[in-house]
Amino acid sequence: QQQVKQSPQSLIVQKGGISIINCAYENTAFDYFPWYQQFPGKGPALLIAIRPDVSEKKEGRFTISFNKSAKQFSLHIMDSQPGDSATYFCAASLTGRRALTFGSGTRLQVQP
Amino acid sequence: DTGVSQNPRHKITKRGQNVTFRCDPISEHNRLYWYRQTLGQGPEFLTYFQNEAQLEKSRLLSDRFSAERPKGSFSTLEIQRTEQGDSAMYLCASSLDGTGGVNGYTFGSGTRLTVV
C-alpha cells in the first residue's frame, strides 16, 4: 500500500532552535520526495524536494536528509523563526505517476 | 496574480444538492490536479489532467464526482447528490512537467465545502 507516515503530529520549538520532522515510507518505488508548507486558509506550497540518488539537500535554512536503506526522510529547519509556524507535509510519488501521496502533517509552532 | 485561482472560496450546501467548483491554473501549465483535504489530514489525490485529457482517477472519486478540463485550460469539479462526508477542502494544483517526472506543484487556496 502506498503510505507515507509522518511524525510528530505537532511540534513546539523555541525561536532559533532546530525543528525536525520525520517521514517513513513503505514503497521502494517512490522516487520523488517533496516537503510542503501550509498556512491556515492557504494551499500547500512546495518548500524543498529530493530524489533518492542523493542523501541530503539544503536550501537556505531547510535541509532534507534521506536514508534510502531505512526508507526514511526528514526535514530540518535551522534557526526556526515564528514565521515558520505552519503545517508541514511530506509527500512521495512513484515513477511514472503524477499523484503525490501525502503524510498526515506536522503542526509546527515556533515560540518567540 | 499568476497563481492558481479557485472559486468559490467557500461553499455551504444542503445534503443532496449538486455543487461545482472551478479552477484556473497557471496559464502555461499543462497538468492540472484535484486533491481533497479533510481537517488535520494531508491532501488526498482525486484526479489529474494533462491538457484536456483526464489521465488518472483515484478510487476516492466515486461516480458522484466528475471533473472536466475543456480545451485544456480551466477545470471544473462537480459533486452530485452531496453527502456530509464530502465536507472538505478541495484543492487544485497545476504544474509544467517535462519528461523527467513530477515537478513541484503550485496549489490554489482551495474551495472549502460544507455539507449541512
Side-chain angles (χ1 to χ4, degrees), chain B residues 29-116:
Chain B
H29 284 184
N30 59 340
R31 303 191 195 280
L32 186 147
Y33 314 80
W34 285 99
Y35 282 75
R36 181 174 70 185
Q37 185 176 25
T38 53
L39 202 61
Q41 297 298 315
E44 296 174 295
F45 172 75
L46 293 177
T47 188
Y48 108 90
F49 293 83
Q50 179 171 324
N51 300 313
E52 67 274 10
Q54 188 174 18
L55 296 187
E56 186 173 351
K57 293 195 293 185
S58 162
R59 288 171 296 177
L60 292 175
L61 212 66
S62 76
D63 56 6
R64 296 185 298 105
F65 288 69
S66 63
E68 294 183 340
R69 192 184 182 197
K71 302 178 183 178
S73 55
F74 71 93
S75 176
T76 58
L77 178 67
E78 181 183 16
I79 309 174
Q80 296 181 328
R81 306 181 302 281
T82 52
E83 301 173 355
Q84 287 188 324
D86 297 331
S87 296
M89 176 77 84
Y90 289 84
L91 292 163
C92 175
S94 67
S95 71
L96 178 63
D97 284 4
T99 58
V102 178
N103 294 326
Y105 295 176
T106 300
F107 278 94
S109 293
T111 294
R112 180 166 296 283
L113 173 67
T114 302
V115 181
V116 297

Side-chain angles (χ1 to χ4, degrees), chain A residues 96-112:
Chain A
R97 285 199 70 211
R98 305 300 171 188
L100 287 171
T101 299
F102 282 84
S104 56
T106 295
R107 186 174 179 181
L108 171 65
Q109 189 177 345
V110 181
Q111 294 185 332

Side-chain angles (χ1 to χ4, degrees), chain A residues 20-38:
Chain A
I20 302 174
I21 304 170
N22 301 299
C23 281
Y25 62 96
E26 293 292 326
N27 194 328
T28 55
F30 282 143
D31 70 343
Y32 175 72
F33 302 90
W35 284 89
Y36 282 80
Q37 179 188 56
Q38 187 175 28

Side-chain angles (χ1 to χ4, degrees), chain A:
Chain A
Q1 185 168 353
Q2 300 175 15
Q3 260 193 332
V4 178
K5 296 183 180 179
Q6 185 171 345
S7 63
Q9 190 173 8
S10 63
L11 181 61
I12 300 175
V13 172
Q14 295 297 313
K15 179 182 176 182
I18 302 173
S19 303
I20 302 174
I21 304 170
N22 301 299
C23 281
Y25 62 96
E26 293 292 326
N27 194 328
T28 55
F30 282 143
D31 70 343
Y32 175 72
F33 302 90
W35 284 89
Y36 282 80
Q37 179 188 56
Q38 187 175 28
F39 293 104
K42 299 291 186 181
L46 178 66
L47 202 55
I48 187 172
I50 198 168
R51 295 193 183 273
D53 53 346
V54 297
S55 60
E56 186 175 282
K57 183 175 181 179
K58 184 176 181 179
E59 290 184 2
R61 296 185 295 111
F62 301 93
T63 299
I64 298 180
S65 296
F66 186 83
N67 187 329
K68 190 174 181 178
S69 60
K71 293 187 288 185
Q72 295 176 347
F73 59 110
S74 60
L75 176 70
H76 292 64
I77 306 174
M78 312 299 288
D79 187 26
S80 299
Q81 299 296 313
D84 296 331
S85 297
T87 300
Y88 292 81
F89 294 96
C90 62
S93 70
L94 293 170
T95 303
R97 285 199 70 211
R98 305 300 171 188
L100 287 171
T101 299
F102 282 84
S104 56
T106 295
R107 186 174 179 181
L108 171 65
Q109 189 177 345
V110 181
Q111 294 185 332

